[in-house]
Amino acid sequence: MMTTAAMVLYEYIVTLGDEVDLFWKRKISSASIIFFLNRYLTILGYVLDSGTFHVQTDIVSSTQYRACLPLDLLRYFPQAIFSSLRAYAISECNRWIASLVFFLLMGPVAVNAVSRTHTVLRLTIISRSSAIGADFLVVMVTWWKTRKSMKLYKEANIQTSYGSLMLRDGEWYGL
């Protein structure tokens, strides 16, 4: 956990100049709000995780637990919003796909809220499967759209590779 936190902190320090140029010096927008939520809820979560808030013993008071739980669950929202907006844009404004992605990514929120009091392997599997399903859906929509682009390129006799189109369409973000 500490290694991951150190890597996230390092990345934040390295990219702070870009953040100031691209977000702090410009007008606030919905995109910048999603960016700030994603960035600072993540770092705040690591700070809280490194403390005594999530120690799995009887020492942690219920007050500390109740104070930390909403923030812990709130960290999932920026990813869900971003992924659902991505699916919405790529799927030519299909609200059903975007909604499905959003609700699948909210699965871990519900499961984690319950599993904090009931540690069960099945809940963990449901939580992870829901998030994996949402990511899979975004990847499938991107691949489908890229396949359509590849067909248009071939019809226009433009030579390109599927890999080039995937890079252009942003699918390699997960690798």
Side-chain angles (χ1 to χ4, degrees), residues 66-129:
R66 283 193 305 267
C68 187
L69 183 62
L71 178 65
D72 190 35
L73 298 178
L74 188 61
R75 291 191 287 174
Y76 290 92
F77 280 94
Q79 177 191 1
I81 292 168
F82 180 80
S83 290
S84 61
L85 286 174
R86 177 188 168 115
Y88 180 76
I90 293 173
S91 67
E92 299 171 356
C93 303
N94 187 318
R95 291 181 179 164
W96 289 103
I97 291 175
S99 298
L100 182 58
V101 168
F102 181 80
F103 287 113
L104 284 171
L105 284 170
M106 288 293 93
V109 173
V111 170
N112 288 347
V114 171
S115 70
R116 295 291 185 183
T117 56
H118 302 88
T119 305
V120 178
L121 180 59
R122 275 187 241 152
L123 292 177
T124 303
I125 292 170
I126 292 169
S127 173
R128 302 306 182 265
S129 298

Side-chain angles (χ1 to χ4, degrees), residues 1-10 43 45-51:
M1 177 62 98
M2 293 306 289
T3 304
T4 305
M7 289 174 59
V8 168
L9 185 59
Y10 173 76
I43 195 68
Y46 278 116
V47 168
L48 292 175
D49 282 345
S50 66

Side-chain angles (χ1 to χ4, degrees), residues 20-87:
V20 170
D21 291 339
L22 297 171
F23 292 97
W24 289 104
K25 293 181 179 179
R26 297 180 184 206
K27 186 177 175 182
I28 295 287
S29 67
S30 56
S32 62
I33 291 170
I34 294 170
F35 172 81
F36 289 131
L37 284 172
N38 187 50
R39 189 162 172 101
Y40 291 104
L41 286 175
T42 300
I43 195 68
L44 186 57
Y46 278 116
V47 168
L48 292 175
D49 282 345
S50 66
T52 60
F53 286 100
H54 292 295
V55 176
Q56 299 294 321
T57 67
D58 294 333
I59 298 171
V60 177
S61 73
S62 62
T63 303
Q64 286 175 318
Y65 170 74
R66 283 193 305 267
C68 187
L69 183 62
L71 178 65
D72 190 35
L73 298 178
L74 188 61
R75 291 191 287 174
Y76 290 92
F77 280 94
Q79 177 191 1
I81 292 168
F82 180 80
S83 290
S84 61
L85 286 174
R86 177 188 168 115

